[in-house]
Structures are given as C-alpha cells and as structure tokens.
Amino acid sequence: MDKTLQGYIDKLNSLNFKDMYEGDFFLTWEKSDDEIEALFTVADALRYMRENNISTKIFESGLGISIFRDNSTRTRFSFASACNLLGLEVQDLDEKKSQIAHGETVRETANMISFMADVIGIRDDMYIGKGNKYQHDVVDAVTEGYKDGVLEQKPTLVNLQCDIDHPTQCLADMLHIIHEFGGVENLKGKKVAMTWAYSPSYGKPLSVPQGVAGLFTRFGMDVVLAHPEGYDIMPEVEEVAKANAEKNGGSFTKTNSMEEAFKDADIVYPKSWAPFAAMEKRTDLYGKGDFDGIDKLEQELLAQNAKHKDWCCTEEMMAKTKDGKALYLHCLPADINNVSCEDGEVADTVFDRYRVPLYKQASFKPYIIAAMIVLAKCKNPQETLKKLEERGTVRRFQ
Amino acid sequence: MDKTLQGYIDKLNSLNFKDMYEGDFFLTWEKSDDEIEALFTVADALRYMRENNISTKIFESGLGISIFRDNSTRTRFSFASACNLLGLEVQDLDEKKSQIAHGETVRETANMISFMADVIGIRDDMYIGKGNKYQHDVVDAVTEGYKDGVLEQKPTLVNLQCDIDHPTQCLADMLHIIHEFGGVENLKGKKVAMTWAYSPSYGKPLSVPQGVAGLFTRFGMDVVLAHPEGYDIMPEVEEVAKANAEKNGGSFTKTNSMEEAFKDADIVYPKSWAPFAAMEKRTDLYGKGDFDGIDKLEQELLAQNAKHKDWCCTEEMMAKTKDGKALYLHCLPADINNVSCEDGEVADTVFDRYRVPLYKQASFKPYIIAAMIVLAKCKNPQETLKKLEERGTVRRFQ
Amino acid sequence: MDKTLQGYIDKLNSLNFKDMYEGDFFLTWEKSDDEIEALFTVADALRYMRENNISTKIFESGLGISIFRDNSTRTRFSFASACNLLGLEVQDLDEKKSQIAHGETVRETANMISFMADVIGIRDDMYIGKGNKYQHDVVDAVTEGYKDGVLEQKPTLVNLQCDIDHPTQCLADMLHIIHEFGGVENLKGKKVAMTWAYSPSYGKPLSVPQGVAGLFTRFGMDVVLAHPEGYDIMPEVEEVAKANAEKNGGSFTKTNSMEEAFKDADIVYPKSWAPFAAMEKRTDLYGKGDFDGIDKLEQELLAQNAKHKDWCCTEEMMAKTKDGKALYLHCLPADINNVSCEDGEVADTVFDRYRVPLYKQASFKPYIIAAMIVLAKCKNPQETLKKLEERGTVRRFQ
C-alpha cells in the first residue's frame, strides 16, 4: 500500500464497511474482515496525518464521555487522546461524583449525559456476564433516546474493555504485529502463543486472551492458547476462535504446556488471567453480597496461582521461540520479576529487551479508538480524509 | 414565530435585554419578562443551529469553571455541554483537591481561578441562607478583580442551583412546557400543580418548588402549590409568586390537598422537598457543629415524611387531571415506586408513560445555560448569531 | 519597549534563546539571561494579544498533562489556563485513578500518557532530593521514547514546583516587579527582603525562598535572605545566589534579623518555610516508613516554629521599609493574622492594603507557563506571534 493519504483512501475504496456508519463497537468478531481492515486503514491514515501535522479535527464541539468502572491510566489517556485528536472534549462520568446511586436507571443516566455526546467509551470488565451487557443497555438507551427525539445524535459506543473482549487493545496489538511483520499478507502461517503467566495478584480480566483468540485467528495464523489446567477462557469465545481458524486457513489449538506453545512461536503474549469459572463464581458471590465468600475465593485463587510460578516468560522460554526472537507482546503493565514483584509474568531481562516494541504496541491504541469514532461518524471517511488534507489546517502552528 | 434563524433574530430584535450583557444569572425574578423571553429565544436558536450542524463556538479559548458543592450528574453534564457548545473548556474547582481549607477567602479563590475564566457555574443548595449568598460573594469578588485590573474579563455567574432558586432547571422546565403547548401564548389559564410528594430520603432542596413558584406565575397560569402542613417554602418566594400572578393575570394559591391541586390540572410537578423551617434549623445546627442535633433532626424529618406516603403521583391521582392527561414534570432523578424504593414520589406506570417527555424536559437545560452565557457575553446576540450562520463552520465535519 | 506586538517581536529579535526550542524548564538558573528575558517578553506578548482579543491558539489538538503530587488550586488553574490559551486540553494524571501502584515504572507511565502530549506539568515539592529528580526521570523517559519512535513528539516539561525551585511562581513574581517598577532597568540597587515568617502550619516547601534567591539575584538587586537560626535553605542554592550577585552587580546577604532585612527594603517577601535539614530528615523517615518518627518531627518543628511568632509582617515592620511603602509579595495563600489563624505571616491590615498588587502578582503565572510552552514549541516565536496577529482570529467572537 502506498504510504500517502491517497494510498489509504484507495485501500478504503476497495472495502465494504458501510454498516459501521452510525454503528457501535462491542466485539471484534461482530465485524466483517473488510470492517476490521477499514479500521486499521483509518488508524494508519490518522497517524500519517498527525505525523505530517495535518489536523484531523472533525468536530468543532461535542463530548466524548468516558465511564471507567475500574482504575485505568493508559486506556483513560488513549481515549482522551483519540477524542482530542478529533475535536471532542472528554467528560468523565465519575460515578462517585454523580447521583446514580440515588436510584437512577442506566437508561435514564445514559440519556441524561448524552445530549451533546458523540461518543461514549466504557470500561467495565470486572464481572462476568455484566460488562458487555451494561454496554448494550447503554447503547439501547441512547438509540431509543435518539429515535424519540430526546437526543440530537446517537453517540457511538467504544468498548474500552468488557468481560468478553478488549477490542481496542487487541486491535492495537494486531496493528502493531502488521507493522512489525511488514504487512498483513506476511502473517499467514505464523505461530502465536497466547499463554497464561503467573502473577502474584488476583482476578485479572479474561478480556485480553479472549480478544486475542477471537481476533488473531482471523489472519491465517496458528494461534495456540496455553494455560494451566483450570484456567479456561469463555467457551463461546473458543468457538469463535475455532470457526475463525477454519474460515481463514490457520488453526486454533489448546495446550497446558507453556513450552509447547512457545516452541518455534513467531509471537508470544504471556499474561496472567483468572479462571473463567472462578470469575463466574465471584460474580455470583457479589450478587449475593457474600463478602466472606469472596475473600475465601480470593485466597483459593491466589493459592492456585502460586502452584504455577513456573509459567513465566524467562530467557530459557524465549530461547525456544523461532530463532529465539519471537515478538513479545504485553498489554502493560506487566508483572516483571525483580521489578514489580519477586515472581511474575516475565523476566526483567526479557522485558527490557522488548521495551521499545512494547511501547510502540501501546502507541496504536489512541489511533484505533479514533478510527472507530471516524468510521461511526463519517458517512464517507475517504471523502472526509481527503477534505481534511485539502483543508490543510496544521495541528501545531509554527 | 418563524422557525429559522432569522425568525429567532427577529424575535430578539423586539425585546429589550441589554442589561443582560456582562451580567449574571442568580434568580429568575430578578430578570424582566423581555429578558426571560430573550433567554428562551436564544436557547431555541442555539438548538436550531446545532440541529442544523452550524457551529456556535463563540470562544476560541477560555474556561468555564464549575463549583459543585453537592454531587451531580445531569447539572454537571449540562454545564459541560453548554460550555463545550460555545467553545469553553470546563475546569472543575474540586474543593477536595484544592488548598481552600488552607485559610483562603472566597474573594481570593474567586480571583485566583478566574484569570482566564469567562463563566463560573455554581451549585450550592445545601444550606438555607448560604448558597445564594456564596454566589454573590463570588460575583462581588470577580467584579472587583475586574475593576482593579486583576482580571481581563469579568466571568459571568450561572446559578446552577442555590438555596432559593434553581433557574436553569425551572427555565428548562418552562421551555419544555412552551414547546409541548405549542407556544407561550397558549399557557394563559392553564393550571399547574406544584405539589410535594413523599420520598424515603431526607433533606431534598427547596429550590425547585421555589423556582417554579417564582417563574411559572409569570405566564398567566394558575399555579397551585400543594404540600402537607409544615412543608412550607420560603415566605419571600411566595410573595414573589403572588406579585407575579397579580401582574400577569394568573393566580397563585396554596392547599394542603394533593387531590385538590391535581384536579383538572394541565401540568403536574410532584416532587419531594424538605420543610423550610427544618432546613433553617439544620443550617443553624451545622453552624454550631451540633451533629447529634442534626441526626436527631434527620430522624424527626424522616418520621414526619413517613406520615405522608399517600402524597404520591399514582394512576388514581393522574386520572383526576385534565382529561387524565396532564403533562407530568420532574427534575429527575425521581423516587419511583417499586423501582428506586418501595414508596416514592410517583407510580412506576405513570413514570414510564412520561419517560420520553421527561427526557425531553431535561434536554433543554444545556441550551438554557448556553443562552445565559451568550446573553452575558455578546453585546448584540442577534448580530453574533447572524455572523455564526454566515461563517458557516460545521459542528461535525463530514 | 514599544507596547505593541511589534515591540515584543523586536525585543525577541535582539535575544538569543534558540536552545529553548524543544527544551524543558526545570530551574531558572539553568537558563541564560537572554532566555529569561525572552520568557518575560513572550509572556507580555501573549497577555497583550489576549487583552486585544487575538487568539493565540497554536495547537488545533494536543494534550497538556498535569501531575500534581500535592493539592493545588492556583497552580492547577494557571496550568489549565495556559494550556487552554494555546489550544491544549488538560488531562490530569490522577494517581489515585491510575494503575501506577500496580508496579509500573516512571519510564513506562511517562511514555504511556504521552502519545499525544505536547506538555507535561509536574508539581512534586514534598520530598527533598526527590521532586526535581522525578521530573528529570520523566523527561529522560519521554526523550528516549521520542528517539525510539514511540512518541511522535517530545512533550516539554514545565516544572510547576519541585523541591529545589518554583520557577513559574518566581518568574511571575519577577515579571510583576518589573511591571510595578516600570521596567527591568529600574531594578538595579533595589533592596529585596526574602524573609521567613511564622506560620502555625508545618512543613511548607522551600522552593519559593530558594527560587527567589536563585532568580532575583540576577537583576542587580540587593537580596537579603532572613530567617531564624536553623531555617536554612539548600546550600547549593545559596551558592547560585552568590554567584549571580557577583556576576550581576548586586548582592546576596543573610541575616537572622527580620528588622534588618526590612530596613529600607524596596520589596519584601515574608513567607514561612520548613528548615532544609528537617525536610531532609523527613524524607529519610518516609523512606524508612517511620511514621512515629514523622509525627515526632512534626511536633518538634511546630514547637520550633512557635518560638518565632515575632517573625510577622506587621505594620511596625512595614514602617521600617523604604518610605514605609515596600512592595509586599506573597505566593498565596498567606497565613493572615485574625483571618486564617491567630498568629501568622502577615497582619490583616498589611495584607488588605496590598490585596490588588498581590492578585496582580498571581495573574502573571498563566502567561509565564504559556510562554515556557511557546518557547519550547515554536522554532521562531517571533514569526509565530506575527502570523497569529495576521491570522486575526478573535478569541471571543462577538
């Protein structure tokens, strides 16, 4: 592809993504291959424009609302960066400062905050069976509000992480891989090891391994999911991964051996997560308000984790990968041996060696989010990009 | 009125509102009829422009400062939306993050935060005799700061709720009524029931019933204020309401019967509030630091409330209104039976039936706030609106 | 100097400040005299443009990130105002909402938040030996991130207060003095009393007296640092002050007598601070987690402070200054007798008399910060200012 704006526009002209207009982004596997490719193309185009000091401000005013039900640094800043790049001002719905506990419904709150909202970004990954549902409830509410004439626009939803998928992360990961391997056409037959790794902390979300299983299997790669017994991900997502592999000519396999997964791998993504069954149980316990039960479960899980300290991305493990030089991925922050903990997900020397590519991996997220917004808000993004170039407003005036 | 921008401009040309320029907005009854009508007209014009994708950004830079002394979702977002619509960036004075406790005076803080502030929005409704006074202290401080050459502009105050009035709410309510009834000329002789309703919570502000009494009586309507014995509002506001009714040809009456108020009413606004006398007592107790006294008062008030659970906007009550179809209003969030509480202000079936008009009612608030700012900041708003249309910058670039 | 934009541009043309481009601002004494003068000139030019309703928005998009490790009102609003004036949106890294405790390094966080950051403002003044170092760590991280291709721009650091210097405060103070005395050329031979003053609170930072010693000695003035025995500032900064005085023809002297310092002073800056040695001890105790030791130290320091209640800027003390009319400075908020405390830094009558100049003093800070950003981001600020004037976009559209 020609690395000029016209190159990106030409690429977009060859793709069908018209259903993304006025749409939302929940799960990657709800999007067609063309739609995913359009997203990568717009993300690259926006980055190209920023690097060439061309303003991509498509909004003169408008709000991008964020709802974070968990602490966050990088996702918060990625969302803020994406909104800012397009001209939207971020307004955070801080539930502690709000009156929501006052007996208000999701439907009501969603409308009340959306009178001038073009985007709503939500991170809600803590409870299995809840996060994605909450995002749908919000979208249903604002869709109805728009139809009823309450809202002047339907804000588009950006899933900033739910219990099922972490699309902004996994799409950024994949765009990073595409750039590292010199194009999507070079990914066929590459081996990816999405593996569990030990962490001294408890209850990490499943959305990254699930998102990787659901997305990476679309590119003809051999995706291996590895974890100790009992650390399964959602079965529905495994089904998605299998179907993807079948359709796209790669494979999706499972193993309980980290070594097996790492052997000759081109890409490794070792990362801790909690067992799906345990997370379901925790959701039930919260529902019942059984806090003693939750404490007990936490202790059990930490003890269970501790049996698998050998699941660590050490130098020895990296040596098993293709030429000992697999691309190491992590969504950050990682649990690094001797840095953030005694035993963790990765050896400090491995992490240090991959620091620059890891940071580059993260750098795609703001553009992925911005591309989701552009595709939902511009009827003809090719024309919009062209007009932005012609408008020629500089981002940074000299 | 002609529903084009020129129609709104023509309307404004017929009104005298020159004193609003560089002014502030404390209480609706401090404004003339022409000024209130100008406010509604500018609010409608701004909405028209947004709906027609015309940018109304009158500020290239500048801050809109918010001070919330109570939790808030909808007012916070309304203020943020209004500021954003005009090009101002919201900066919240979070008193917990600030050094104000450090021994700083209101006068000093007000100046320190206002060097580049075009607007200050304050919500301070908790203590009788304090909220409105605090807003005046802030305005006095920045007015002096401007005269002394400390500030380059005098920020305009927007009262986002005080102990006396809730002008952004009540003006949004009234603009909603005007739209629902097809014009201000259709309001003469309509009956409005502003009634108390039971809530299991305690100490709700009086600013809404007071604001309604002080504003709705200006439109030739028959305003009935209904509440159980002992739930009086501020006597000064009742005097305002009486004078308004006398001047404008409607009426302002009081009753201790919800039924009587609802009978043949065109509009009903059932909502809980705390008795004025009790709120005065609470303010005194806080002043003395008598927290045991406050707890005792709270228990007394909850017990007193509980005697009036029959003050609920039920289907039976709604059936008594004009054709059983009065317009139901609420400032939200409401205490809804079987939804947010067992017994509350309104039956769930009633609330559900009015959900769309209720959300529309709320949708006017950002425009009311924006109109307050425009009228305070533009010497000739007609000309400004015209120039904005001619400038033709789109809000959302396609 | 001619008070038109061209006057400021002509001034800049006579100065050498090319090293400020793409640089950072840590300590005033790391900058040349020309650079300091360029900073004042750009600050004045920006103020001139705002007062003449000329937009100085040089960024169409971009973030200004703030990191406040201590509560703050005025610095927070000054930074927000400066960013807004130039077109940057402030995004606060609230460490409580972030995942930093999660084991993340400064290097990682700095990169993760900076993908679209043009500026990072940091206030970190609490621990001796830590604050300035932390700022350098952040700058090293983003400089490396930029070189490695992780970041598309190197954000510029604005030191919003560290353990060593408070450059935005002291430069604002000095610009205020220059305006009050009618030009920098009138400062030679003026006497400045930077004196300790009693406060009932504990552990105030040393960055203001240190910043004053390091900056004011560059203007040919006679700077007297006065404090009770044991309240020394960092010896390294005293060395800077002495060298400055020698080079610039003024003097830097020390005394343990407030009277002596005030005698015939043209400018007085009485302000409380903690002894350097005690602050070093506190840093050690924190490092060891010795909270009992910290409590004990606090009690000792309060007792030590209490011996010096006579160090107060009273009317009697002011009467000793030049014609009894020295310019009184304070960084605010002050501990005012009978207002914020019984005994404090200044008599209420003195403070009241100087209220307007004090507020004006504070008003320069947003422009100082904005000037730091302009000088770091514009290769040829003269040309940029000229182009902004020619562009002629109004800040407030009428």
Side-chain angles (χ1 to χ4, degrees):
Chain A
M1 183 168 55
D2 187 14
K3 288 287 160 40
T4 63
L5 191 59
Q6 192 56 49
Y8 298 113
I9 291 171
D10 292 346
K11 178 84 206 162
L12 287 173
N13 282 331
S14 72
L15 300 168
N16 175 11
F17 51 88
K18 62 181 188 328
D19 290 348
M20 295 182 93
Y21 181 58
E22 297 292 356
D24 300 286
F25 211 109
F26 293 101
L27 307 174
T28 61
W29 48 91
E30 294 168 347
K31 302 294 175 190
S32 72
D33 291 347
D34 269 20
E35 289 171 348
I36 296 291
E37 201 162 349
L39 191 76
F40 289 148
T41 309
V42 171
D44 278 339
L46 291 172
R47 187 166 197 146
Y48 168 88
M49 292 172 84
R50 192 175 203 276
E51 287 175 353
N52 285 279
N53 204 25
I54 303 167
S55 170
T56 52
K57 211 163 161 180
I58 58 172
F59 295 98
E60 271 285 295
S61 67
L63 300 181
I65 291 166
S66 59
I67 306 178
F68 285 91
R69 299 186 133 188
D70 199 358
N71 282 339
S72 176
T73 307
R74 65 207 71 238
T75 302
R76 192 177 279 278
F77 274 82
S78 290
F79 184 70
S81 297
C83 286
N84 175 265
L85 184 71
L86 302 176
L88 297 173
E89 189 180 340
V90 170
Q91 189 68 16
D92 189 39
L93 177 65
D94 183 332
E95 299 188 350
K96 273 163 270 166
K97 284 187 187 167
S98 82
Q99 290 188 318
I100 291 171
H102 206 273
E104 194 171 328
T105 61
V106 169
R107 184 170 169 192
E108 190 167 308
T109 308
N111 274 281
M112 293 304 113
I113 62 177
S114 296
F115 296 127
M116 297 195 187
D118 290 291
V119 180
I120 303 179
I122 303 179
R123 175 172 175 179
D124 184 351
D125 54 39
M126 304 228 281
Y127 303 116
I128 290 289
K130 306 275 183 186
N132 189 262
K133 193 189 167 309
Y134 173 72
Q135 297 185 359
H136 271 283
D137 288 348
V138 168
V139 167
D140 291 348
V142 296
T143 302
E144 206 174 327
Y146 177 61
K147 280 187 198 152
D148 291 337
V150 169
L151 304 180
E152 284 151 31
Q153 70 293 314
K154 189 197 82 62
T156 190
L157 178 103
V158 174
N159 174 0
L160 295 174
Q161 188 167 358
C162 72
D163 52 323
I164 304 176
D165 195 5
H166 194 343
T168 62
Q169 180 66 47
C170 297
L171 288 161
D173 298 341
M174 181 46 81
L175 189 50
H176 171 60
I177 292 172
I178 292 170
H179 281 266
E180 290 288 321
F181 283 80
V184 72
E185 61 278 11
N186 300 326
L187 301 185
K188 279 213 183 301
K190 293 287 181 292
K191 181 178 176 184
V192 184
M194 175 75 237
T195 85
W196 191 86
Y198 171 73
S199 160
S201 84
Y202 142 89
K204 295 209 176 181
L206 290 93
S207 49
V208 167
Q210 291 174 170
V212 166
L215 179 68
F216 287 22
T217 46
R218 297 174 76 157
F219 296 86
M221 302 200 284
D222 295 316
V223 177
V224 183
L225 178 69
H227 56 72
E229 255 183 86
Y231 283 81
D232 298 272
I233 63 170
M234 294 175 94
E236 304 89 309
V237 179
E238 292 193 0
E239 292 309 311
V240 168
K242 281 180 211 161
N244 281 345
E246 191 145 337
K247 189 183 156 206
N248 295 287
S251 63
F252 175 69
T253 52
K254 291 175 62 180
T255 172
N256 292 139
S257 158
M258 197 181 190
E259 285 81 355
E260 195 184 312
F262 266 57
K263 191 169 184 309
D264 291 325
D266 297 279
I267 298 163
V268 295
Y269 204 145
K271 197 214 159 296
S272 195
W273 67 80
F276 170 59
M279 287 300 95
E280 266 193 319
K281 197 171 164 189
R282 186 172 70 153
T283 301
D284 285 350
L285 292 168
Y286 265 105
K288 291 176 195 156
D290 181 355
F291 294 102
D292 286 345
I294 289 166
D295 282 349
K296 203 162 149 270
L297 177 66
E298 180 172 340
Q299 293 313 314
E300 284 168 19
L301 287 172
L302 285 172
Q304 187 184 344
N305 273 8
K307 289 181 197 157
H308 306 293
K309 290 195 181 174
D310 54 323
W311 285 71
C312 178
C313 183
T314 57
E315 291 290 0
E316 294 70 38
M317 204 59 87
M318 283 304 291
K320 297 179 198 299
T321 67
K322 184 71 163 296
D323 304 327
K325 290 185 173 170
L327 180 63
Y328 166 81
L329 301 180
H330 198 285
C331 53
L332 304 180
D335 289 315
I336 308 164
N337 294 0
N338 307 317
V339 175
S340 45
C341 53
E342 201 176 326
D343 296 297
E345 299 169 309
V346 60
D348 49 0
T349 55
V350 174
F351 189 86
D352 269 351
R353 196 162 64 250
Y354 285 95
R355 194 181 291 276
V356 173
L358 279 168
Y359 291 0
K360 282 189 182 164
Q361 175 186 354
S363 76
F364 289 99
K365 205 190 272 182
Y367 293 103
I368 290 290
I369 297 172
M372 288 177 178
I373 299 172
V374 165
L375 285 162
K377 292 298 177 183
C378 299
K379 195 163 190 175
N380 185 333
Q382 298 95 304
E383 206 176 292
T384 303
L385 292 173
K386 191 77 201 159
K387 278 198 224 161
L388 286 170
E389 192 183 42
E390 287 166 7
R391 184 174 73 178
T393 308
V394 297
R395 183 191 81 80
R396 177 175 158 184
F397 188 83
Q398 282 280 7
Chain B
M1 182 167 56
D2 187 13
K3 287 287 158 42
T4 62
L5 190 60
Q6 192 55 51
Y8 298 114
I9 291 170
D10 291 346
K11 179 82 206 163
L12 287 172
N13 281 332
S14 73
L15 300 168
N16 174 10
F17 52 90
K18 63 181 188 327
D19 290 348
M20 295 181 93
Y21 181 59
E22 297 292 358
D24 300 285
F25 211 109
F26 293 101
L27 307 174
T28 62
W29 48 91
E30 293 167 348
K31 301 294 174 190
S32 72
D33 291 348
D34 269 19
E35 289 170 347
I36 296 290
E37 201 163 349
L39 191 76
F40 289 147
T41 308
V42 172
D44 280 340
L46 291 172
R47 186 165 199 147
Y48 168 88
M49 293 173 84
R50 193 176 201 277
E51 288 174 353
N52 286 279
N53 203 26
I54 303 166
S55 169
T56 52
K57 212 162 157 180
I58 57 173
F59 295 98
E60 271 284 295
S61 67
L63 300 180
I65 290 166
S66 59
I67 306 177
F68 285 91
R69 300 188 131 187
D70 199 358
N71 283 338
S72 176
T73 307
R74 67 207 69 239
T75 302
R76 192 177 281 277
F77 274 82
S78 290
F79 183 70
S81 297
C83 286
N84 175 266
L85 184 71
L86 302 176
L88 297 173
E89 188 179 343
V90 171
Q91 190 68 15
D92 189 39
L93 177 65
D94 184 332
E95 299 187 349
K96 273 162 270 167
K97 285 188 189 168
S98 81
Q99 290 189 318
I100 291 171
H102 206 271
E104 192 171 328
T105 61
V106 169
R107 184 171 168 192
E108 189 167 308
T109 309
N111 275 281
M112 292 303 114
I113 62 177
S114 296
F115 295 127
M116 297 195 188
D118 290 291
V119 180
I120 302 178
I122 303 178
R123 176 171 174 180
D124 184 351
D125 54 39
M126 304 229 281
Y127 303 115
I128 289 289
K130 306 274 182 185
N132 190 262
K133 191 189 169 309
Y134 173 72
Q135 296 185 357
H136 271 283
D137 288 348
V138 168
V139 168
D140 291 349
V142 295
T143 302
E144 206 174 327
Y146 176 61
K147 278 187 200 154
D148 290 338
V150 170
L151 304 180
E152 284 151 31
Q153 70 293 313
K154 189 199 79 64
T156 189
L157 178 104
V158 174
N159 174 0
L160 294 173
Q161 189 168 358
C162 73
D163 53 321
I164 304 176
D165 195 5
H166 194 343
T168 62
Q169 180 66 47
C170 297
L171 287 161
D173 297 342
M174 180 46 80
L175 188 51
H176 171 61
I177 293 172
I178 291 170
H179 281 267
E180 290 287 321
F181 283 81
V184 72
E185 60 278 12
N186 300 327
L187 300 185
K188 280 217 180 298
K190 293 287 181 291
K191 182 179 176 183
V192 183
M194 176 74 237
T195 85
W196 191 86
Y198 171 73
S199 159
S201 85
Y202 142 89
K204 296 206 176 183
L206 289 94
S207 49
V208 167
Q210 290 173 172
V212 166
L215 179 68
F216 287 22
T217 45
R218 298 174 75 157
F219 296 86
M221 303 200 285
D222 295 316
V223 178
V224 182
L225 178 70
H227 56 73
E229 255 182 85
Y231 284 81
D232 299 272
I233 63 170
M234 293 175 94
E236 304 88 310
V237 178
E238 293 194 0
E239 291 311 311
V240 168
K242 281 180 211 161
N244 280 345
E246 192 144 335
K247 188 182 158 204
N248 295 287
S251 64
F252 176 70
T253 52
K254 291 174 63 180
T255 171
N256 293 136
S257 158
M258 196 182 191
E259 287 82 354
E260 196 183 310
F262 266 57
K263 190 166 186 305
D264 292 324
D266 297 278
I267 298 161
V268 295
Y269 204 146
K271 199 216 158 294
S272 195
W273 68 80
F276 170 60
M279 288 301 95
E280 267 195 319
K281 198 172 163 189
R282 187 172 68 151
T283 301
D284 285 349
L285 291 168
Y286 265 104
K288 290 176 197 154
D290 181 354
F291 294 101
D292 287 345
I294 289 166
D295 283 348
K296 201 161 151 268
L297 178 65
E298 180 172 341
Q299 293 312 315
E300 284 169 18
L301 287 172
L302 286 172
Q304 186 184 344
N305 274 8
K307 289 182 196 156
H308 306 295
K309 290 195 180 174
D310 54 323
W311 285 70
C312 178
C313 183
T314 57
E315 291 290 2
E316 296 69 40
M317 204 60 87
M318 283 304 290
K320 296 180 198 300
T321 67
K322 185 73 164 297
D323 304 327
K325 291 183 174 171
L327 180 65
Y328 167 80
L329 301 181
H330 199 285
C331 52
L332 303 180
D335 288 315
I336 308 165
N337 295 358
N338 308 317
V339 176
S340 45
C341 53
E342 202 176 329
D343 297 296
E345 298 169 311
V346 60
D348 50 0
T349 55
V350 173
F351 189 85
D352 269 350
R353 197 162 63 250
Y354 285 96
R355 195 181 290 275
V356 173
L358 280 168
Y359 290 0
K360 282 189 182 165
Q361 176 187 352
S363 75
F364 289 99
K365 205 191 271 183
Y367 293 103
I368 289 291
I369 296 171
M372 287 176 179
I373 299 171
V374 165
L375 286 162
K377 292 298 177 181
C378 299
K379 195 161 190 176
N380 185 334
Q382 298 96 302
E383 206 176 292
T384 304
L385 293 172
K386 192 76 199 157
K387 279 198 223 161
L388 287 170
E389 192 183 41
E390 288 166 4
R391 184 174 72 177
T393 308
V394 296
R395 182 191 81 81
R396 177 177 157 183
F397 187 83
Q398 282 280 5
Chain C
M1 184 168 54
D2 187 14
K3 288 289 158 40
T4 62
L5 191 58
Q6 192 55 51
Y8 298 114
I9 291 170
D10 292 345
K11 179 83 206 161
L12 288 172
N13 282 332
S14 73
L15 299 168
N16 174 11
F17 52 89
K18 65 181 187 330
D19 290 347
M20 296 182 93
Y21 181 58
E22 297 293 358
D24 299 286
F25 210 110
F26 293 101
L27 307 173
T28 62
W29 48 92
E30 294 167 346
K31 302 293 175 191
S32 73
D33 290 348
D34 269 20
E35 288 171 347
I36 297 290
E37 200 161 351
L39 190 78
F40 289 148
T41 308
V42 172
D44 278 341
L46 291 172
R47 186 165 199 147
Y48 168 88
M49 292 173 86
R50 192 175 202 276
E51 288 174 354
N52 286 279
N53 203 27
I54 303 167
S55 170
T56 51
K57 212 163 159 178
I58 57 172
F59 295 98
E60 270 286 293
S61 67
L63 300 181
I65 291 167
S66 59
I67 306 177
F68 285 91
R69 301 187 130 187
D70 198 359
N71 283 337
S72 175
T73 306
R74 68 207 67 240
T75 302
R76 192 177 281 278
F77 274 82
S78 290
F79 183 69
S81 297
C83 286
N84 175 266
L85 184 70
L86 302 177
L88 297 173
E89 189 179 341
V90 171
Q91 190 67 15
D92 188 40
L93 177 65
D94 184 332
E95 299 188 351
K96 274 162 269 165
K97 285 187 188 169
S98 81
Q99 291 188 316
I100 291 170
H102 207 272
E104 192 171 330
T105 60
V106 168
R107 184 170 169 193
E108 189 166 309
T109 309
N111 275 280
M112 293 303 113
I113 62 177
S114 296
F115 296 127
M116 296 196 188
D118 290 291
V119 180
I120 302 178
I122 303 179
R123 176 172 174 179
D124 184 351
D125 54 37
M126 304 228 283
Y127 303 116
I128 288 290
K130 306 274 184 186
N132 191 263
K133 190 188 170 312
Y134 173 73
Q135 298 185 358
H136 272 282
D137 288 347
V138 168
V139 167
D140 290 348
V142 296
T143 302
E144 205 174 329
Y146 176 62
K147 279 187 198 153
D148 290 337
V150 169
L151 303 180
E152 284 151 32
Q153 68 293 313
K154 189 199 80 64
T156 189
L157 178 105
V158 174
N159 174 0
L160 295 174
Q161 189 168 359
C162 72
D163 53 322
I164 304 176
D165 195 4
H166 194 342
T168 62
Q169 180 66 48
C170 297
L171 288 161
D173 297 342
M174 181 46 80
L175 188 50
H176 171 61
I177 291 172
I178 292 170
H179 281 267
E180 290 288 320
F181 284 80
V184 72
E185 61 278 11
N186 299 328
L187 301 185
K188 281 215 181 299
K190 294 287 181 290
K191 180 178 178 185
V192 183
M194 175 75 237
T195 85
W196 191 87
Y198 170 74
S199 159
S201 84
Y202 142 90
K204 298 208 175 182
L206 289 94
S207 49
V208 168
Q210 290 173 172
V212 166
L215 179 69
F216 287 22
T217 45
R218 297 173 75 158
F219 296 86
M221 302 199 286
D222 295 315
V223 178
V224 183
L225 178 70
H227 56 73
E229 254 181 86
Y231 284 80
D232 298 273
I233 62 171
M234 294 175 92
E236 303 90 307
V237 179
E238 292 194 1
E239 292 311 311
V240 168
K242 279 180 214 163
N244 281 345
E246 192 143 336
K247 187 182 159 206
N248 294 286
S251 63
F252 175 69
T253 52
K254 291 176 64 182
T255 171
N256 293 139
S257 158
M258 196 182 191
E259 285 82 356
E260 195 183 313
F262 267 58
K263 189 165 188 306
D264 291 325
D266 298 278
I267 298 163
V268 295
Y269 204 145
K271 198 213 158 299
S272 196
W273 68 81
F276 170 60
M279 288 301 94
E280 267 195 319
K281 197 170 164 191
R282 187 171 68 153
T283 301
D284 285 349
L285 291 168
Y286 266 104
K288 292 177 197 155
D290 180 355
F291 293 102
D292 286 345
I294 289 166
D295 283 349
K296 200 162 152 267
L297 177 65
E298 180 173 340
Q299 293 312 315
E300 284 169 18
L301 287 172
L302 286 172
Q304 185 183 347
N305 274 8
K307 288 181 197 156
H308 306 293
K309 290 195 181 174
D310 54 323
W311 285 71
C312 178
C313 183
T314 58
E315 291 290 1
E316 295 68 40
M317 204 60 86
M318 284 303 291
K320 296 180 198 302
T321 68
K322 185 72 166 293
D323 304 329
K325 290 185 172 170
L327 180 63
Y328 167 81
L329 301 181
H330 199 283
C331 53
L332 303 179
D335 288 315
I336 308 163
N337 295 358
N338 309 316
V339 175
S340 46
C341 54
E342 201 176 328
D343 296 297
E345 298 169 309
V346 59
D348 49 1
T349 55
V350 173
F351 189 86
D352 270 351
R353 196 163 64 251
Y354 285 95
R355 194 181 292 276
V356 172
L358 280 168
Y359 291 0
K360 282 189 183 167
Q361 177 187 353
S363 75
F364 288 99
K365 205 192 270 182
Y367 293 104
I368 290 290
I369 297 172
M372 287 176 180
I373 299 171
V374 165
L375 286 162
K377 293 297 177 182
C378 300
K379 195 161 189 178
N380 185 334
Q382 300 95 304
E383 205 175 293
T384 304
L385 292 172
K386 192 76 200 158
K387 279 199 222 160
L388 286 170
E389 192 183 42
E390 287 166 7
R391 183 174 75 178
T393 308
V394 296
R395 184 191 79 81
R396 177 176 158 183
F397 188 84
Q398 280 281 5

